Amino acid sequence: MDIPKRHSTDKTDIRRRLPSVDAVLQASDSLLQHWGNSRVGMAIRAELAGRREYLVAEIDLDVSVESIVESVRSKLAAADDSSLKPVINLTGTVLHTNLGRAVLPQQAIDAMAQVAAMPTNLEYDLASGDRGERDDHVEALICELIGTEAATVVNNNAAALLLVLNTLAENAEIPVSRGELVEIGGSFRVPDIMQRSGCSLVEVGTTNRTHLKDYKQAINTRTALLMKVHTSNYSVEGFTAAVDESELAALAKEQGLPFVVDLGSGNLIDFTAYGLPHEPVTGSAIEHGADVVTFSGDKLLGGPQCGIIAGRKDLIDRIRSNPLKRALRLDKITLAALSEVLKLYRHPEKLAEELPTLRYLTRDPSDIEKQALLLAPALAENLPSAYTVTPQVCLSQIGSGALPVQNIPSFGLAITASSDAQLRVLSDAFRQLPCPVVGRINDKKLLLDLRCLDCDTQFVEQSGKLKELLA
Ligand SMILES: *Cc1c(COP(=O)(O)O)cnc(C)c1O
């Protein structure tokens, strides 16, 4: 028996129902203006191919030229969306590495835009008309703020460490305490960096206890330097012993070795003055006898991503002239931002106001509570009734390895739902908003810590789209 051909899957019939590429092109003037012939042509062909499949599968759909043009327009516009975009960080982690760490002050943003828009004297001495040094734009400021003779800057603290170790310890040994073989999130491990720098790690002491005699025993003719790594993202507690900077500095001096300290998070000021937990100040490592310190620009310093190397002039000069420096150097935009951020440190009284990182960290919990009380009903109104919004006390973290065991009291919005799945759907919807909102799911709640929220109106307004996203 002949199986009759189904009318709607007939190839010629489908082709007849869909408009031709040319017909769509003719109705696409504004698209062609905006995106050009080849992109629009490709998008139309892809759209028609997609619709043809629907028709073959006997799924009914609009095949009008207008609907095709509209669909092509929205797909082309969506493809132009930047992948890298601002988000609202309500995770409670102020310096969130995955969210780009420090938010820059306006002065830095303006300076970045200025040097981006015109040629600059990046490596040009305006006084003499001769070649200049890129480091000149920040070196004096760094030295002024932490009390060193010299300084140089590179792409990040990992690069700083790589450059320092490669310059001062290639083909030689470095004793490091087993308690300081740090791994930072995102697969940065001190032992790996050391290996790639061309030096050999000699582990000394134990995980919880390392003594000066352990270092002494490890020193031989192949030893290049002594090093201390700030255990920034964990703390070993209980029966512990570590050799402090002064003792290690004295031993290095006695042995004629440079003493290097990887500080991780570089903070230039005494945090306790702002009511925050104590974190070692960069300058104190120098006072304790460090010959070279390295730290990040975008952790507690609150600046752009970079690595700062500061210390003795003879050592910094050697580090600067390592050919690897060229591969790790900073660009003009980052230098402009760093310079502005460092200048803010000259006025500590205003710092908590001007530097976003410090402003977030020092916010008064009662202020955040007020914000939560205001925002809770506004957000609740924009959510389906299945969700409940409650202001709630919570704890923020500094992040990026600073003060790992100390949290700061904060306030947030806790959203509950009848199931975990429903909560996940909401958390996904928050991330699909025009300015994605990132919170954290904890203890059957979606918690939005408001410490870093400084765009309340935008937050509430765009939450009006949540119902639609959840539908
Ligand atoms: C964060 C950190 C690093 C890496 O710094 P980046 O700027 O992320 O490259 C290295 N060492 C320590 C101790 C750190 O805390």
Side-chain angles (χ1 to χ4, degrees), residues 97 101 155-159 161 182 184 188 190 229-233 262-265 294-299 305-307 400-402:
T97 297
R101 293 191 186 157
N155 183 58
N156 55 15
N157 191 29
L161 210 52
V182 180
I184 314 290
F188 166 92
V190 169
V229 182
H230 185 52
T231 54
S232 48
N233 53 359
D262 170 12
L263 286 160
S265 209
T294 75
F295 56 98
S296 296
D298 55 353
K299 291 185 179 174
Q305 179 194 302
C306 63
S400 283

Side-chain angles (χ1 to χ4, degrees), residues 91-117:
T91 60
T93 300
V94 177
L95 294 166
H96 198 299
T97 297
N98 302 143
L99 301 182
R101 293 191 186 157
V103 170
L104 296 178
Q106 193 57 45
Q107 292 90 328
I109 296 164
D110 294 344
M112 288 163 85
Q114 264 179 11
V115 298

Side-chain angles (χ1 to χ4, degrees), residues 95 101-105 142 145-146 153 264-269 271 279 282 295-308 337-345 351 355-358 361 398 400 402:
L95 294 166
R101 293 191 186 157
V103 170
L104 296 178
I142 298 170
L145 291 167
I146 60 180
V153 281
S265 209
N267 70 319
L268 304 184
I269 42 158
F271 259 42
E279 169 88 348
T282 305
F295 56 98
S296 296
D298 55 353
K299 291 185 179 174
L300 280 176
L301 184 72
Q305 179 194 302
C306 63
I308 297 172
L338 177 62
S339 164
E340 291 306 311
V341 169
L342 290 171
K343 279 194 258 172
L344 296 180
Y345 278 88
L351 195 62
L355 192 67
T357 299
L358 198 59
L361 289 174
I398 296 181
S400 283

Side-chain angles (χ1 to χ4, degrees), residues 182-190 192-193:
V182 180
E183 173 178 317
I184 314 290
S187 79
F188 166 92
R189 287 178 166 186
V190 169
D192 295 342
I193 291 277

Side-chain angles (χ1 to χ4, degrees), residues 18-21 24 43-53 68:
L18 274 174
S20 67
V21 173
V24 183
I44 291 173
R45 276 188 287 276
E47 183 65 27
L48 290 173
R51 292 192 180 214
R52 195 171 297 125
E53 299 214 342
I68 292 166

Side-chain angles (χ1 to χ4, degrees), residues 10 90 190 235 261 303 425:
D10 184 294
L90 304 188
V190 169
S235 98
V261 181
V425 170

